[in-house]
Amino acid sequence: MARVVVDVMLKPEILDPQGQAVANALPRLGVSDVSSVRIGRRIEIEFTGEADLDRVREIADKLLANPVIEDFTIHEVADEPVPAGDPS
Amino acid sequence: MARVVVDVMLKPEILDPQGQAVANALPRLGVSDVSSVRIGRRIEIEFTGEADLDRVREIADKLLANPVIEDFTIHEVADEPVPAGDPS
């Protein structure tokens, strides 16, 4: 069983109002040293057998990302993700 | 300048209809060996100076994730992300 992660982010030149809203809220939490926040999607795909990265690339391009405004990166992860809320 | 990434995913026991929709669409692309798709958020936070991971943990907990239904992981990344569409 293989797990592949596709990270989809808006291209740098595309405005990200959602990230901007988070950035604007940070001073209220006492955080003033953040210069930028960008919000994208993380998609975890689990294969029953071996992961086929070329196939994943095709899936990302056709189904997961909008190549006009978004970039994506693909990487295989070895095992289960760290449970969560864990800042490591 | 430091960049910290917060990955927010639904807890494993929470249904993910968006991921399910993608999983259901995959056979139409000829992909039949995917057992599960989960869709979450990837947030990139750029600091003007050093990154404060404890502070990021607080931001994630209060602003970025819903701890009732979502888990998050935090990791610092060294440099600029790989441009995109690049399956490496």
Side-chain angles (χ1 to χ4, degrees), chain B:
Chain B
M1 211 170 69
R3 182 193 300 262
V4 176
V5 171
V6 181
D7 288 322
V8 179
M9 300 297 291
L10 284 168
K11 287 180 195 278
E13 66 268 26
I14 305 287
L15 280 179
D16 177 3
Q18 199 185 356
Q20 195 59 49
V22 169
N24 291 343
L26 289 179
R28 274 182 273 139
L29 287 176
V31 179
S32 57
D33 55 349
V34 166
S35 58
S36 141
V37 177
R38 307 280 290 175
I39 299 185
R41 292 192 303 290
R42 172 189 167 95
I43 299 112
E44 294 182 357
I45 302 174
E46 221 165 81
F47 285 84
T48 51
E50 281 295 292
D52 179 346
L53 292 187
D54 286 341
R55 188 53 69 89
V56 172
R57 185 185 163 86
E58 191 191 335
I59 294 170
D61 201 49
K62 289 190 178 170
L63 204 59
L64 301 176
N66 176 351
V68 176
I69 58 168
E70 291 169 330
D71 287 334
F72 61 86
T73 56
I74 294 169
H75 54 104
E76 197 167 349
V77 290
D79 43 9
E80 292 292 307
V82 177
D86 190 41
S88 58

Side-chain angles (χ1 to χ4, degrees), chain A:
Chain A
M1 209 170 71
R3 183 193 300 261
V4 176
V5 171
V6 181
D7 288 321
V8 180
M9 301 297 291
L10 284 169
K11 287 179 194 279
E13 66 269 25
I14 304 287
L15 279 179
D16 177 4
Q18 200 184 355
Q20 194 60 49
V22 169
N24 292 343
L26 289 179
R28 273 182 273 140
L29 287 177
V31 179
S32 56
D33 56 347
V34 166
S35 59
S36 141
V37 177
R38 307 279 291 176
I39 299 185
R41 293 193 303 289
R42 173 190 167 92
I43 299 113
E44 293 182 358
I45 301 174
E46 221 164 80
F47 284 84
T48 51
E50 282 295 292
D52 179 347
L53 292 187
D54 285 341
R55 187 53 69 88
V56 172
R57 185 186 164 84
E58 189 191 336
I59 294 170
D61 200 50
K62 288 191 180 169
L63 205 60
L64 302 175
N66 176 350
V68 176
I69 59 167
E70 291 169 332
D71 287 334
F72 61 87
T73 55
I74 294 170
H75 54 105
E76 196 167 349
V77 290
D79 42 8
E80 290 292 304
V82 177
D86 191 41
S88 57

